[in-house]
Short mmCIF file of all heavy atoms in Angstrom, two decimals:
data_model
loop_
_atom_site.label_atom_id
_atom_site.label_comp_id
_atom_site.label_asym_id
_atom_site.label_seq_id
_atom_site.Cartn_x
_atom_site.Cartn_y
_atom_site.Cartn_z
N ASN A 1 180.89 131.39 53.03
CA ASN A 1 181.27 132.54 53.80
C ASN A 1 180.28 133.69 53.45
O ASN A 1 180.14 134.05 52.29
CB ASN A 1 182.70 132.96 53.59
CG ASN A 1 183.19 134.04 54.51
OD1 ASN A 1 182.75 135.19 54.45
ND2 ASN A 1 184.12 133.66 55.38
N PRO A 2 179.72 134.29 54.44
CA PRO A 2 178.69 135.38 54.16
C PRO A 2 179.27 136.65 53.56
O PRO A 2 178.55 137.53 53.05
CB PRO A 2 178.05 135.67 55.54
CG PRO A 2 179.13 135.29 56.52
CD PRO A 2 179.82 134.09 55.96
N TRP A 3 180.66 136.76 53.58
CA TRP A 3 181.24 138.06 53.08
C TRP A 3 181.89 137.88 51.66
O TRP A 3 182.47 138.72 51.11
CB TRP A 3 182.43 138.41 53.98
CG TRP A 3 182.06 138.42 55.47
CD1 TRP A 3 180.81 138.78 55.97
CD2 TRP A 3 182.83 138.08 56.56
NE1 TRP A 3 180.87 138.72 57.36
CE2 TRP A 3 182.05 138.21 57.73
CE3 TRP A 3 184.18 137.61 56.68
CZ2 TRP A 3 182.59 137.98 59.03
CZ3 TRP A 3 184.69 137.35 57.98
CH2 TRP A 3 183.92 137.58 59.10
N GLN A 4 181.60 136.63 51.06
CA GLN A 4 182.30 136.41 49.76
C GLN A 4 181.92 137.46 48.69
O GLN A 4 182.79 137.96 48.00
CB GLN A 4 181.94 135.01 49.29
CG GLN A 4 182.58 134.62 47.92
CD GLN A 4 182.26 133.18 47.53
OE1 GLN A 4 181.76 132.36 48.39
NE2 GLN A 4 182.50 132.89 46.29
N ALA A 5 180.56 137.68 48.53
CA ALA A 5 180.16 138.64 47.48
C ALA A 5 180.60 140.06 47.85
O ALA A 5 180.89 140.89 46.93
CB ALA A 5 178.68 138.51 47.25
N LEU A 6 180.57 140.37 49.14
CA LEU A 6 180.87 141.72 49.56
C LEU A 6 182.23 142.13 49.10
O LEU A 6 182.46 143.25 48.65
CB LEU A 6 180.80 141.82 51.09
CG LEU A 6 181.10 143.11 51.73
CD1 LEU A 6 180.04 144.18 51.46
CD2 LEU A 6 181.30 142.96 53.27
N TYR A 7 183.27 141.24 49.23
CA TYR A 7 184.63 141.56 48.95
C TYR A 7 185.12 140.99 47.57
O TYR A 7 186.31 141.09 47.28
CB TYR A 7 185.56 141.02 50.07
CG TYR A 7 185.29 141.82 51.35
CD1 TYR A 7 184.71 141.10 52.46
CD2 TYR A 7 185.65 143.11 51.51
CE1 TYR A 7 184.44 141.79 53.68
CE2 TYR A 7 185.45 143.76 52.71
CZ TYR A 7 184.85 143.09 53.78
OH TYR A 7 184.63 143.73 55.00
N ASP A 8 184.24 140.44 46.76
CA ASP A 8 184.65 139.77 45.49
C ASP A 8 185.43 140.74 44.65
O ASP A 8 184.95 141.79 44.25
CB ASP A 8 183.33 139.34 44.79
CG ASP A 8 183.64 138.60 43.49
OD1 ASP A 8 184.82 138.35 43.13
OD2 ASP A 8 182.65 138.19 42.86
N PRO A 9 186.74 140.37 44.28
CA PRO A 9 187.54 141.21 43.49
C PRO A 9 186.96 141.50 42.07
O PRO A 9 187.40 142.47 41.42
CB PRO A 9 188.83 140.45 43.40
CG PRO A 9 188.85 139.65 44.60
CD PRO A 9 187.47 139.19 44.78
N SER A 10 186.05 140.62 41.63
CA SER A 10 185.55 140.84 40.25
C SER A 10 184.32 141.75 40.19
O SER A 10 183.78 142.03 39.08
CB SER A 10 185.18 139.49 39.66
OG SER A 10 184.05 138.96 40.33
N ARG A 11 183.92 142.30 41.31
CA ARG A 11 182.72 143.21 41.35
C ARG A 11 182.96 144.44 40.45
O ARG A 11 184.03 144.93 40.31
CB ARG A 11 182.34 143.59 42.72
CG ARG A 11 183.35 144.48 43.50
CD ARG A 11 182.90 144.68 44.96
NE ARG A 11 183.71 145.67 45.68
CZ ARG A 11 184.80 145.32 46.37
NH1 ARG A 11 185.19 144.07 46.40
NH2 ARG A 11 185.52 146.26 46.99
N LYS A 12 181.85 144.99 39.91
CA LYS A 12 181.86 146.06 38.99
C LYS A 12 181.60 147.37 39.77
O LYS A 12 180.90 147.39 40.81
CB LYS A 12 180.90 145.88 37.85
CG LYS A 12 181.10 144.62 37.04
CD LYS A 12 182.42 144.66 36.36
CE LYS A 12 182.51 143.54 35.34
NZ LYS A 12 182.49 142.22 35.93
N PRO A 13 182.01 148.54 39.24
CA PRO A 13 181.90 149.80 39.94
C PRO A 13 180.45 150.31 40.01
O PRO A 13 180.06 151.09 40.88
CB PRO A 13 182.71 150.79 39.16
CG PRO A 13 183.11 150.15 37.87
CD PRO A 13 182.85 148.66 38.05
N LEU A 14 179.48 149.96 39.16
CA LEU A 14 178.10 150.31 39.15
C LEU A 14 177.84 151.68 39.85
O LEU A 14 178.06 152.71 39.30
CB LEU A 14 177.28 149.18 39.81
CG LEU A 14 177.40 147.87 39.01
CD1 LEU A 14 176.59 146.73 39.76
CD2 LEU A 14 176.93 148.03 37.61
N ARG A 15 177.39 151.62 41.12
CA ARG A 15 176.97 152.85 41.85
C ARG A 15 178.19 153.76 42.09
O ARG A 15 178.03 154.96 42.36
CB ARG A 15 176.37 152.55 43.16
CG ARG A 15 174.97 151.88 43.06
CD ARG A 15 174.28 151.96 44.44
NE ARG A 15 173.52 150.77 44.73
CZ ARG A 15 172.80 150.60 45.77
NH1 ARG A 15 172.72 151.53 46.70
NH2 ARG A 15 172.09 149.50 45.94
N ALA A 16 179.42 153.15 42.00
CA ALA A 16 180.64 153.92 42.28
C ALA A 16 181.29 154.39 41.00
O ALA A 16 182.49 154.64 40.95
CB ALA A 16 181.62 153.10 43.15
N ALA A 17 180.54 154.42 39.91
CA ALA A 17 181.12 154.67 38.61
C ALA A 17 181.79 156.06 38.59
O ALA A 17 182.87 156.22 37.91
CB ALA A 17 180.01 154.67 37.52
N GLY A 18 181.23 157.05 39.28
CA GLY A 18 181.87 158.41 39.28
C GLY A 18 183.23 158.39 39.85
O GLY A 18 184.19 158.95 39.30
N GLN A 19 183.42 157.70 41.01
CA GLN A 19 184.77 157.63 41.63
C GLN A 19 185.68 156.82 40.80
O GLN A 19 186.90 157.13 40.67
CB GLN A 19 184.58 156.94 42.97
CG GLN A 19 185.87 156.87 43.79
CD GLN A 19 186.41 158.20 44.27
OE1 GLN A 19 185.64 159.16 44.25
NE2 GLN A 19 187.65 158.32 44.59
N PHE A 20 185.11 155.75 40.12
CA PHE A 20 186.01 154.93 39.23
C PHE A 20 186.54 155.77 38.07
O PHE A 20 187.72 155.65 37.75
CB PHE A 20 185.07 153.73 38.68
CG PHE A 20 185.69 152.89 37.64
CD1 PHE A 20 186.58 151.85 38.03
CD2 PHE A 20 185.47 153.11 36.32
CE1 PHE A 20 187.12 151.09 37.05
CE2 PHE A 20 186.02 152.28 35.37
CZ PHE A 20 186.88 151.24 35.74
N MET A 21 185.63 156.55 37.46
CA MET A 21 186.12 157.34 36.34
C MET A 21 187.00 158.47 36.76
O MET A 21 188.02 158.77 36.07
CB MET A 21 184.88 157.95 35.58
CG MET A 21 183.96 156.90 34.96
SD MET A 21 182.41 157.57 34.34
CE MET A 21 183.08 158.66 33.10
N LYS A 22 186.78 159.04 37.89
CA LYS A 22 187.65 160.07 38.43
C LYS A 22 189.07 159.66 38.66
O LYS A 22 190.01 160.24 38.20
CB LYS A 22 187.10 160.67 39.75
CG LYS A 22 187.92 161.75 40.37
CD LYS A 22 187.34 162.17 41.75
CE LYS A 22 188.28 163.09 42.43
NZ LYS A 22 187.75 163.45 43.83
N GLU A 23 189.22 158.45 39.28
CA GLU A 23 190.59 157.94 39.59
C GLU A 23 191.32 157.54 38.29
O GLU A 23 192.50 157.73 38.14
CB GLU A 23 190.52 156.80 40.59
CG GLU A 23 190.08 157.15 41.99
CD GLU A 23 191.07 158.09 42.74
OE1 GLU A 23 192.10 158.37 42.18
OE2 GLU A 23 190.78 158.44 43.85
N ASN A 24 190.62 156.91 37.35
CA ASN A 24 191.28 156.52 36.11
C ASN A 24 191.61 157.65 35.25
O ASN A 24 192.56 157.67 34.49
CB ASN A 24 190.43 155.51 35.39
CG ASN A 24 190.51 154.12 36.03
OD1 ASN A 24 191.52 153.40 35.88
ND2 ASN A 24 189.50 153.70 36.83
N ALA A 25 190.83 158.78 35.33
CA ALA A 25 191.18 160.01 34.57
C ALA A 25 192.41 160.59 35.12
O ALA A 25 193.28 161.10 34.41
CB ALA A 25 190.00 160.99 34.64
N ASN A 26 192.57 160.50 36.44
CA ASN A 26 193.76 161.03 37.11
C ASN A 26 194.97 160.23 36.70
O ASN A 26 196.04 160.77 36.43
CB ASN A 26 193.56 160.88 38.69
CG ASN A 26 194.87 161.28 39.40
OD1 ASN A 26 195.72 160.45 39.67
ND2 ASN A 26 194.97 162.53 39.82
N VAL A 27 194.82 158.85 36.51
CA VAL A 27 195.98 158.06 36.06
C VAL A 27 196.35 158.47 34.69
O VAL A 27 197.49 158.62 34.40
CB VAL A 27 195.59 156.57 36.18
CG1 VAL A 27 196.61 155.68 35.44
CG2 VAL A 27 195.40 156.10 37.66
N ALA A 28 195.36 158.59 33.81
CA ALA A 28 195.61 158.92 32.40
C ALA A 28 196.33 160.30 32.32
O ALA A 28 197.30 160.45 31.48
CB ALA A 28 194.30 158.98 31.62
N ALA A 29 196.08 161.20 33.20
CA ALA A 29 196.68 162.54 33.16
C ALA A 29 198.17 162.44 33.48
O ALA A 29 198.99 163.29 33.06
CB ALA A 29 195.99 163.45 34.16
N GLN A 30 198.59 161.38 34.24
CA GLN A 30 200.00 161.27 34.60
C GLN A 30 200.92 160.99 33.47
O GLN A 30 202.10 161.29 33.52
CB GLN A 30 200.14 160.19 35.74
CG GLN A 30 199.29 160.38 36.94
CD GLN A 30 199.31 161.83 37.45
OE1 GLN A 30 200.40 162.43 37.67
NE2 GLN A 30 198.13 162.44 37.64
N TYR A 31 200.37 160.46 32.34
CA TYR A 31 201.22 160.15 31.24
C TYR A 31 201.72 161.44 30.51
O TYR A 31 202.63 161.42 29.73
CB TYR A 31 200.50 159.22 30.20
CG TYR A 31 200.47 157.81 30.78
CD1 TYR A 31 199.28 157.35 31.46
CD2 TYR A 31 201.45 156.96 30.64
CE1 TYR A 31 199.20 156.08 31.96
CE2 TYR A 31 201.41 155.67 31.10
CZ TYR A 31 200.27 155.23 31.76
OH TYR A 31 200.18 153.94 32.29
N VAL A 32 201.09 162.62 30.89
CA VAL A 32 201.59 163.84 30.31
C VAL A 32 203.00 164.14 30.80
O VAL A 32 203.77 164.96 30.24
CB VAL A 32 200.60 165.00 30.81
CG1 VAL A 32 201.09 166.35 30.33
CG2 VAL A 32 199.21 164.67 30.19
N ASP A 33 203.44 163.50 31.97
CA ASP A 33 204.73 163.71 32.42
C ASP A 33 205.85 163.39 31.35
O ASP A 33 206.96 163.92 31.48
CB ASP A 33 205.05 162.83 33.68
CG ASP A 33 204.35 163.41 34.85
OD1 ASP A 33 203.92 164.61 34.79
OD2 ASP A 33 204.19 162.67 35.87
N TRP A 34 205.45 162.61 30.36
CA TRP A 34 206.44 162.28 29.28
C TRP A 34 206.81 163.60 28.54
O TRP A 34 207.87 163.74 27.93
CB TRP A 34 205.85 161.27 28.31
CG TRP A 34 206.10 159.86 28.79
CD1 TRP A 34 205.23 159.03 29.31
CD2 TRP A 34 207.33 159.17 28.64
NE1 TRP A 34 205.81 157.83 29.62
CE2 TRP A 34 207.16 157.84 29.10
CE3 TRP A 34 208.55 159.49 28.17
CZ2 TRP A 34 208.09 156.88 29.21
CZ3 TRP A 34 209.58 158.52 28.18
CH2 TRP A 34 209.36 157.25 28.70
N LEU A 35 205.89 164.53 28.45
CA LEU A 35 206.05 165.74 27.70
C LEU A 35 206.72 166.86 28.54
O LEU A 35 207.23 167.84 28.00
CB LEU A 35 204.72 166.24 27.17
CG LEU A 35 203.98 165.27 26.30
CD1 LEU A 35 202.62 165.85 25.92
CD2 LEU A 35 204.77 164.81 25.09
N ALA A 36 206.63 166.67 29.88
CA ALA A 36 207.23 167.71 30.75
C ALA A 36 208.74 167.71 30.81
O ALA A 36 209.30 166.62 30.63
CB ALA A 36 206.63 167.57 32.16
N PRO A 37 209.37 168.85 31.14
CA PRO A 37 210.82 168.76 31.27
C PRO A 37 211.16 168.11 32.57
O PRO A 37 210.35 167.84 33.39
CB PRO A 37 211.19 170.29 31.35
CG PRO A 37 209.91 170.95 31.88
CD PRO A 37 208.80 170.16 31.29
N GLY A 38 212.46 167.80 32.72
CA GLY A 38 212.91 167.11 33.97
C GLY A 38 212.85 168.02 35.14
O GLY A 38 212.64 169.24 35.08
N ASP A 39 213.18 167.46 36.35
CA ASP A 39 213.17 168.34 37.56
C ASP A 39 214.36 169.28 37.63
O ASP A 39 214.28 170.35 38.24
CB ASP A 39 213.24 167.37 38.80
CG ASP A 39 212.03 166.51 38.87
OD1 ASP A 39 210.98 166.85 38.37
OD2 ASP A 39 212.11 165.38 39.47
N GLU A 40 215.53 168.79 37.09
CA GLU A 40 216.75 169.60 37.24
C GLU A 40 217.23 169.87 35.76
O GLU A 40 217.12 169.07 34.90
CB GLU A 40 217.80 168.79 37.97
CG GLU A 40 217.35 168.39 39.43
CD GLU A 40 217.52 169.55 40.36
OE1 GLU A 40 218.13 170.66 39.96
OE2 GLU A 40 216.98 169.42 41.45
N ALA A 41 217.88 171.06 35.67
CA ALA A 41 218.39 171.42 34.32
C ALA A 41 219.66 170.54 34.04
O ALA A 41 219.95 170.29 32.85
CB ALA A 41 218.73 172.91 34.25
#
């Protein structure tokens, strides 16, 4: 199939490294919610 490599799930971020790092930094920041107070008193 000519599209196999194009959509291969094991492909690495290479040229998209900036976007890859940005999204994973965003995920890491969400764990700060453990330290935040709840929504309601």
